[in-house]
Amino acid sequence: MADEANRTAFMEIQGRMIETTGKLKQVQSQIRSKETEKKRAYLTLEELRQVPDGTNTYKSIGRTFVLEPKSVLINEQEQKFKDSETAIASLQTSKEYLEKQLGEVENNLKELLQQDPGLASQIMSLSVM
């Protein structure tokens, strides 16, 4: 009876671990994406600032280029940069929370396996097959 309860607890903890790991990988991917977006906005901003004020500047919309004032393009890039920074900060908070949650799940798993060494041997025999 206790053996079955431990096995059920193990399956539940394992499911939470898989779910948390997946969420963590997704957040890390989103952080990388936002960092790339931030870097692109920064580099575009730097290039725009070097362009003389009287120069025609164009914004890409799909396959079309539309004439836009330099100030509008600079404002858009600054906004993209700020939005990316905000998103990265939020995602970092989520990442820290998920890492903490993953650590707790790992500790729960270790405690369960230390309580019932027989469960660990059963799990190992199942994974070998």
Side-chain angles (χ1 to χ4, degrees), residues 8-117:
T8 304
F10 172 77
M11 297 298 266
E12 180 184 321
I13 291 171
Q14 184 183 28
R16 278 192 284 155
M17 181 176 254
I18 291 169
E19 179 184 342
T20 305
T21 303
K23 287 180 182 178
L24 185 60
K25 287 180 181 180
Q26 183 180 17
V27 167
Q28 289 170 335
S29 173
Q30 289 173 339
I31 288 173
R32 280 192 301 275
S33 172
K34 288 295 179 183
E35 285 174 345
T36 302
E37 187 177 309
K38 177 182 167 185
K39 187 173 184 177
R40 180 173 286 144
Y42 173 77
L43 292 172
T44 304
L45 245 154
E46 290 300 308
E47 290 298 318
L48 278 172
R49 288 185 177 136
Q50 295 175 12
V51 174
D53 286 337
T55 307
N56 289 338
T57 52
Y58 295 87
K59 177 180 176 180
S60 173
I61 301 177
R63 294 187 196 181
T64 308
F65 291 94
V66 178
L67 181 63
E68 290 279 349
K70 177 182 166 186
S71 61
V72 170
L73 294 178
I74 287 177
N75 288 339
E76 286 178 1
Q77 293 304 316
E78 286 173 345
Q79 189 61 45
K80 279 185 184 178
F81 186 80
K82 289 176 188 173
D83 290 346
S84 295
E85 283 184 327
T86 304
I88 289 170
S90 172
L91 288 168
Q92 285 290 356
T93 304
S94 296
K95 179 183 172 190
E96 291 168 6
Y97 171 76
L98 288 170
E99 287 173 340
K100 180 181 171 189
Q101 205 174 22
L102 187 62
E104 290 174 2
V105 170
E106 287 174 352
N107 287 337
N108 290 344
L109 187 60
K110 286 178 187 175
E111 287 176 15
L112 180 66
L113 292 176
Q114 287 174 350
Q115 283 177 349
D116 190 0

